[in-house]
């Protein structure tokens, strides 16, 4: 099996259906199983409590519970939708054939709906000897955090009811199809193009970042933005959340090796290097530009590095990861500050500036640093050709996600309305929507 075929956990799904019979005859690998169980817990830890704290600290005190509530509600909603039909839509490979473009190239069918065919002892595939139930749960945690990231763009102004419906529809019409196209194996549209996405730069971060940008544009700016100060109310929470994301990301990236092996080890190393480089890159860029380094800045740089290395974690080497992290830290800083101010959109918590831009940077640079000539561990021989393939994948994801997200939001706005009224926004979503306060002093 080539590295390209084993370049991410999603790739194993090209083997799941035909491989289950052989896998059932093989012996479970306890080491791989233990690592995948651990990775699954780490990725869930990224959303609750990691993202909940990271986002919660950045909003005003009157909205902290609303953001945390969104993270918890999304976790519950997506968990159920995943087992009902999401896993099947993303990873059912029925009707897929390499080089053949049909409906199954874009989205899976429903043969695995309600987890049909799942057995107690069935393994993922003949190449990945851990339970399919663990694979399902691991991929579920990816499906959970992706729409939760979008919430950072519309924080402090979206109805809770509208948020739930939007997230459910977006998961169904955007996340599941993109995951299928990138990760389902031979016959998947972006897979057949040769797009490299080891752990979700396209599927998770570009997807969520672009959706966040569209959401904040459709909903409009928060009341008083940008003239009214809207400083984060508890940066301690944000730093703790960023630390949890940093630790949890090792499950995200190293777990995508689908085994306790050398690929997982290298993914862990390059994740650490890129994240450190991005944190310092953002910090020094801010220091030079604004005169002082900030805690919010270094926390944002950490996330930018984690995002950028995600698609590359299985194929780049240490020095490539350093460059990716440094570039992401500096460029995401300018996009989340100068570019946002210049264009005037209100991306509340910089979902697009960090995840969208960081994901694009990582996806494109994967095409460069996956090449063995530059210290990578991929099979890239023609760097220019692979960068073009990566660009096609990015462009397709941006266009598809933007259009479908826009349509979903516009329809929901007509049907039920997206935004809280002025009085509710002034009072704060904690009290207005949940009848609770984060702080009772």
């Amino acid at each position: 099996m080539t590295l390209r075929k084993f370049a991410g956990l999603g790739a194993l799904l090209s083997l799941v259906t035909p491989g289950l019979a052989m896998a059932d005859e093989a012996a479970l690998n306890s080491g791989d199983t233990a690592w995948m169980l651990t990775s699954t817990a780490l990725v869930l830890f990224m959303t609750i409590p990691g993202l909940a704290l990271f986002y919660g600290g950045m909003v005003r005190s009157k909205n902290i519970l609303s953001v945390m509530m969104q993270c918890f509600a999304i976790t519950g909603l997506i968990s159920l939708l995943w087992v009902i039909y999401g896993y099947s839509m993303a990873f059912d490979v029925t009707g897929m054939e390499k080089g053949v473009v049909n409906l199954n190239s874009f989205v899976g069918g429903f043969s695995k709906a309600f987890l049909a065919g799942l057995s107690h002892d069935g393994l993922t595939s003949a190449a990945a000897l851990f339970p399919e139930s663990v694979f399902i749960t691991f991929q579920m945690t990816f499906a959970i955090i992706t729409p939760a990231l979008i919430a950072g763009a519309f924080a402090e102004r979206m109805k809770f009811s509208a948020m739930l419906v939007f997230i459910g529809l977006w998961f169904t019409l955007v996340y599941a199809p993109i995951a299928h196209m990138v990760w389902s194996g031979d016959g998947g549209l972006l897979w057949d193009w040769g797009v490299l996405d080891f752990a979700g730069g396209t599927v998770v971060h570009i997807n969520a970042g672009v959706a966040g940008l569209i959401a904040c544009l459709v909903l409009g700016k928060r009341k008083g933005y940008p003239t009214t100060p809207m400083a984060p109310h508890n940066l301690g929470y944000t730093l703790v959340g960023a630390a949890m994301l940093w630790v949890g990301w090792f499950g995200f990236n190293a777990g995508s090796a689908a085994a306790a092996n050398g690929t997982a080890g290298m993914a862990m190393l390059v994740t650490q290097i890129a994240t450190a480089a991005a944190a310092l890159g953002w910090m020094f860029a801010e220091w030079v530009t604004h005169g002082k380094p900030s805690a919010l800045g270094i926390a944002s740089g950490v996330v930018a590095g984690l995002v950028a290395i995600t698609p590359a974690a299985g194929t780049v080497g240490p020095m490539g990861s350093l460059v990716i992290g440094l570039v992401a830290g500096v460029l995401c800083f300018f996009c989340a500050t100068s570019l946002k101010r210049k264009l005037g959109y209100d991306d509340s918590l910089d979902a697009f500036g960090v995840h969208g831009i960081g994901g694009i940077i990582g996806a494109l640079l994967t095409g460069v640093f996956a090449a063995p000539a530059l210290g990578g561990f991929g099979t890239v021989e023609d760097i220019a050709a692979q960068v073009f393939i990566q660009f096609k994948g990015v462009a397709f994801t941006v266009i598809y996600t933007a259009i479908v997200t826009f349509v979903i939001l516009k329809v929901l706005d007509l049907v039920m309305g997206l935004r809280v009224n002025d009085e509710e926004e002034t009072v704060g979503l904690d009290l207005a929507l949940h009848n609770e306060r984060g702080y009772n002093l």
Side-chain angles (χ1 to χ4, degrees):
M1 181 177 295
T2 66
L3 183 59
R4 161 66 179 149
K5 286 291 286 181
F6 200 62
L9 186 55
L12 294 173
L13 264 293
S14 65
L15 304 173
V16 165
T17 299
L20 278 177
M22 290 187 295
D24 287 338
E25 298 173 3
L28 179 144
N29 185 303
S30 59
D32 290 349
T33 301
W35 171 235
M36 294 310 301
L37 288 167
T38 302
S39 296
T40 300
L42 285 171
V43 182
L44 180 60
F45 184 73
M46 289 168 61
T47 304
I48 49 172
L51 188 67
L53 284 168
F54 182 73
Y55 277 173
M58 284 196 281
V59 297
R60 289 167 288 180
S61 59
K62 62 185 180 180
N63 293 313
I64 179 175
L65 292 182
S66 70
V67 171
M68 290 184 164
M69 178 73 171
Q70 287 170 355
C71 289
F72 274 81
I74 288 170
T75 300
L77 175 65
I78 299 303
S79 295
L80 296 186
L81 294 183
W82 185 250
V83 300
I84 294 170
Y85 61 80
Y87 175 61
S88 191
M89 286 184 65
F91 294 126
D92 180 4
V93 298
T94 304
M96 295 174 63
E97 182 180 348
K98 184 176 179 61
V100 176
V101 178
N102 54 30
L103 178 62
N104 300 118
S105 301
F106 296 89
V107 66
F110 294 98
S111 70
K112 294 180 180 292
F114 296 95
L115 304 186
L118 177 65
S119 67
H120 182 273
D121 300 318
L123 304 185
T124 301
S125 75
L129 303 179
F130 59 90
E132 187 184 4
S133 58
V134 177
F135 180 87
I136 292 168
T137 314
F138 182 76
Q139 285 291 345
M140 178 195 294
T141 61
F142 279 62
I144 287 168
I145 197 169
T146 306
L149 294 172
I150 304 172
F154 56 69
E156 303 194 304
R157 59 197 187 275
M158 192 173 192
K159 292 179 181 178
F160 185 70
S161 56
M163 183 279 298
L164 287 174
V165 178
F166 165 65
I167 292 299
L169 290 173
W170 188 88
F171 164 77
T172 305
L173 300 176
V174 180
Y175 180 82
I178 292 292
H180 181 81
M181 285 184 265
V182 175
W183 280 340
S184 60
D186 289 344
L189 184 68
L190 273 66
W191 175 272
D192 278 1
W193 285 0
V195 172
L196 299 176
D197 185 1
F198 185 74
T202 303
V203 176
V204 176
H205 299 293
I206 298 175
N207 212 3
V210 170
L213 177 63
I214 299 301
C216 73
L217 291 174
V218 172
L219 266 78
K221 302 172 184 177
R222 286 168 291 177
K223 185 179 179 182
Y225 181 89
T227 56
T228 302
M230 298 181 180
H233 88 282
N234 193 325
L235 283 177
Y237 286 171
T238 297
L239 285 170
V240 170
M244 291 176 174
L245 288 168
W246 193 335
V247 174
W249 224 283
F250 292 121
F252 202 82
N253 285 356
S256 291
N261 59 14
T263 301
M266 186 59 70
M268 176 171 282
L269 175 60
V270 299
T271 297
Q272 181 68 14
I273 293 170
T275 306
L280 294 182
W282 186 303
M283 183 187 77
F284 283 113
E286 183 180 42
W287 204 339
V288 171
T289 305
H290 297 158
K292 294 181 180 179
S294 71
L296 178 59
I298 198 167
S300 300
V302 163
V303 177
L306 292 166
V307 168
I309 196 61
T310 292
T315 52
V316 304
M319 295 305 101
S321 69
L322 192 155
V323 175
I324 290 173
L326 189 61
V327 171
V330 173
L331 292 186
C332 286
F333 163 71
F334 286 107
C335 289
T337 54
S338 302
L339 180 65
K340 185 169 75 168
R341 284 196 299 270
K342 184 176 182 180
L343 298 181
Y345 60 89
D346 184 13
D347 179 2
S348 306
L349 309 181
D350 295 317
F352 175 71
V354 174
H355 294 276
I357 298 299
I360 290 170
I361 292 168
L364 295 177
L365 291 183
T366 297
V368 176
F369 292 106
L374 294 177
F377 298 97
T379 57
V380 175
E381 296 180 358
D382 187 334
I383 293 175
Q386 187 61 47
V387 170
F388 179 67
I389 291 170
Q390 298 298 107
F391 174 78
K392 284 200 304 178
V394 168
F396 179 90
T397 304
V398 169
I399 294 169
Y400 178 85
T401 300
I403 291 173
V404 179
T405 302
F406 179 80
V407 171
I408 293 172
L409 288 168
K410 280 297 187 181
V411 170
L412 287 181
D413 198 23
L414 288 173
V415 173
M416 62 188 301
L418 294 172
R419 186 162 177 160
V420 297
N421 60 45
D422 287 349
E423 181 181 355
E424 291 172 327
E425 190 171 345
T426 300
V427 170
L429 274 58
D430 290 359
L431 195 59
L433 300 185
H434 306 294
N435 198 31
E436 296 174 301
R437 295 181 187 273
Y439 305 95
N440 293 294
L441 303 177

